[in-house]
Amino acid sequence: MVFFGDSMLETLGRVVVFLLVVLVVLLASLLSLFFVMLRTKRILFPNFVLFIVSLLYEILCRLLSFFRVDPTLIDRVSVEMRNALNYTEFAATDPRERILLLPQCIRSIDCPARLDSLEGICCVECRGCAIGELSARSREIGIRMYISPGGTFTERILTRSKPKAVVGVSCYPNLYEGLLKAKLMGVPAQGVPLSAAGCVKTTVDCEEVMNKCKIRS
Ligand code: SF4
């Protein structure tokens, strides 16, 4: 049984080749832009880059891994770009109407904090990890702080506490996702990457976090 005629197959082949060429050109332009931005520390065409990244995220990660380049490069550049794009809107909000979202992996392994189904992990400021300091300093400036136990907590807390803006701390891949979710929910966000990532006993630069929390226009 014949499904396609010769001319149909030829047209299909041309379309596939055309799409492949477009894909290669897009990928090459994007990767060149990434390296130029990293070298010059300037942000170029952020909306275009973020759109293409969200479209080709998996392919880009695989491509970088194939060439033995750290695939988190995509997340790093994307996070910096989202921070820059969100800056003006974020800065216009009152710090007391913002929330600070922290990952639980920063906690000490002996953390005495209890888990509340609505509030997340409730730090008692035992000072066993950086969260104790962040908790005390957040209280001083009136920003609400939450420690996420993971899963869908981030979305739930954004929906329930209705912040005007959010500062999120996480590893680069999770920050990339979190900033995208906040954007889709209409909440301007700033992301701070962990200074040492991993599953437990991670660390973050408290000064960097507090500087983001205190941004004013
Ligand atoms: S400072 Fe808070 S989060 Fe850190 S270990 Fe102590 S109670 Fe747990």
Side-chain angles (χ1 to χ4, degrees), residues 107-108 111-113 123-129 131-132 147:
R107 295 192 300 159
S108 129
C111 175
C123 174
V124 293
E125 294 179 17
C126 77
R127 301 295 174 124
C129 74
I131 297 177
I147 309 167

Side-chain angles (χ1 to χ4, degrees), residues 72-148:
T72 63
L73 171 73
I74 299 164
D75 301 314
R76 277 194 278 150
V77 175
S78 305
V79 166
E80 293 311 321
M81 274 196 282
R82 279 237 183 268
N83 281 349
L85 276 177
N86 292 342
Y87 188 91
T88 309
E89 207 186 334
F90 179 92
T93 60
D94 186 322
R96 287 165 298 182
E97 293 179 318
R98 299 172 186 163
I99 64 168
L100 168 61
L101 257 174
L102 302 172
Q104 68 156 336
C105 57
I106 302 175
R107 295 192 300 159
S108 129
I109 46 173
D110 305 314
C111 175
R114 68 180 174 83
L115 174 64
D116 181 279
S117 59
L118 293 178
E119 298 293 309
I121 293 160
C122 303
C123 174
V124 293
E125 294 179 17
C126 77
R127 301 295 174 124
C129 74
I131 297 177
E133 178 185 336
L134 290 172
S135 173
R137 293 176 69 179
S138 299
R139 204 171 42 251
E140 274 170 26
I141 59 169
I143 189 168
R144 288 167 288 161
M145 186 194 88
Y146 296 95
I147 309 167
S148 171

Side-chain angles (χ1 to χ4, degrees), residues 70 72 75-76 79-80 83 100-108 129-131 134 146-148 167-176 179 190-209 212:
D70 181 2
T72 63
D75 301 314
R76 277 194 278 150
V79 166
E80 293 311 321
N83 281 349
L100 168 61
L101 257 174
L102 302 172
Q104 68 156 336
C105 57
I106 302 175
R107 295 192 300 159
S108 129
C129 74
I131 297 177
L134 290 172
Y146 296 95
I147 309 167
S148 171
V167 177
V169 175
S170 198
C171 57
Y172 273 113
N174 287 350
L175 261 189
Y176 171 81
L179 291 178
Q190 290 292 302
V192 180
L194 290 165
S195 39
C199 295
V200 287
K201 289 178 77 181
T202 58
T203 57
V204 68
D205 181 339
C206 293
E207 272 327 301
E208 195 183 345
V209 176
K212 290 273 188 206

Side-chain angles (χ1 to χ4, degrees), residues 35-52:
F35 287 109
V36 172
M37 284 190 279
L38 280 177
R39 273 178 166 256
T40 59
K41 303 219 182 298
R42 284 181 54 215
I43 290 175
L44 306 167
F45 313 112
N47 283 316
F48 166 76
V49 173
L50 286 171
F51 173 70
I52 301 297

